[in-house]
Amino acid sequence: MVYLVLAATAALSIAGAAVIVLVGRQRRRMESGSEARRIEAAAKRGVRDARRQAHAHQHFNHAGGINALRDRDSHS
């Protein structure tokens, strides 16, 4: 029974600490101005585009696109 209480106390302490950290971060973000929001939006777009491009390259490579280009260039 004591171990159960200790485990529950530890779990609640960890969850409480995580909530405190997340609330603190959210409050700092809310204070940011329009310039910071614009920069963050641009960064998100950049990450999204990079993921999209990486995904396209992965499909291109799996489809044998590199080998097809290599074959095409070697015959020219």
Side-chain angles (χ1 to χ4, degrees), residues 8-59:
T9 304
L12 287 174
S13 297
I14 292 170
V19 167
I20 289 170
V21 167
L22 291 175
V23 167
R25 286 184 182 174
Q26 187 63 28
R27 284 187 182 157
R28 278 193 305 249
R29 288 181 64 152
M30 289 172 52
E31 295 171 2
S32 62
S34 62
E35 182 69 15
R37 286 192 296 270
R38 186 188 64 76
I39 292 170
E40 186 176 350
K44 284 181 183 177
R45 278 192 305 274
V47 168
R48 200 176 315 124
D49 291 343
R51 279 190 195 146
R52 199 174 290 138
Q53 188 175 11
H55 192 79
H57 284 302
Q58 182 182 11
H59 280 291

